Amino acid sequence: PRAHLWLVKFPAQALARLQFAARAAGVSEDRIVASPMAAEQDFQEMALGAQVFLDTPLCNAHTTASYALWAGTPIITLPVRRLVSRVGASLALSASTSSLSHTHTPTNPRIQ
């Protein structure tokens, strides 16, 4: 596969943990790309190059998910109980995209 995980370099400990998990899973850590926070226009341009936007379940992307949708990039999101974790699904629904939104996972049917 040619896929890369591209994320904001924040917090600093997250990158090291992700690289460790990648190595443990036999995935080359050079497939994890971390960049500093970007200016709004720069992020919009970067979103054009993404093939899919993977949202985090505990605190969804707000503006960044909007940029991805505006760029035509589908998002994958997992809405859970709290308001901040349902924003991605709301944006995808409002944009009427082919984005994926699930309310449960096979391994954890009810994420709280």
Side-chain angles (χ1 to χ4, degrees):
R2 299 177 312 161
H4 288 78
L5 175 62
W6 176 32
L7 54 112
V8 175
K9 191 185 254 184
F10 178 81
Q13 305 91 327
L15 180 59
R17 289 179 182 171
L18 284 169
Q19 289 171 329
F20 178 81
R23 282 191 305 272
V27 175
S28 174
E29 65 184 73
D30 65 349
R31 292 179 55 197
I32 300 173
V33 179
S35 61
M37 294 293 276
E40 181 178 336
Q41 183 174 351
D42 293 338
F43 187 83
Q44 289 174 347
E45 291 173 10
M46 290 185 276
L48 289 169
Q51 294 170 335
V52 68
F53 182 95
L54 179 61
D55 202 4
T56 58
L58 296 181
C59 184
N60 281 176
H62 291 71
T63 306
T64 52
S66 296
Y67 291 154
L69 289 167
W70 290 336
T73 304
I75 65 172
I76 298 173
T77 187
L78 178 67
V80 290
R81 191 172 195 168
R82 298 178 58 191
L83 174 67
V84 296
S85 67
R86 297 191 310 264
V87 174
S90 179
L91 290 169
L93 181 64
S94 295
S96 299
T97 67
S98 60
S99 299
L100 299 174
S101 176
H102 293 281
T103 56
H104 64 275
T105 65
T107 57
N108 191 352
R110 300 209 192 286
I111 296 175
Q112 303 294 322

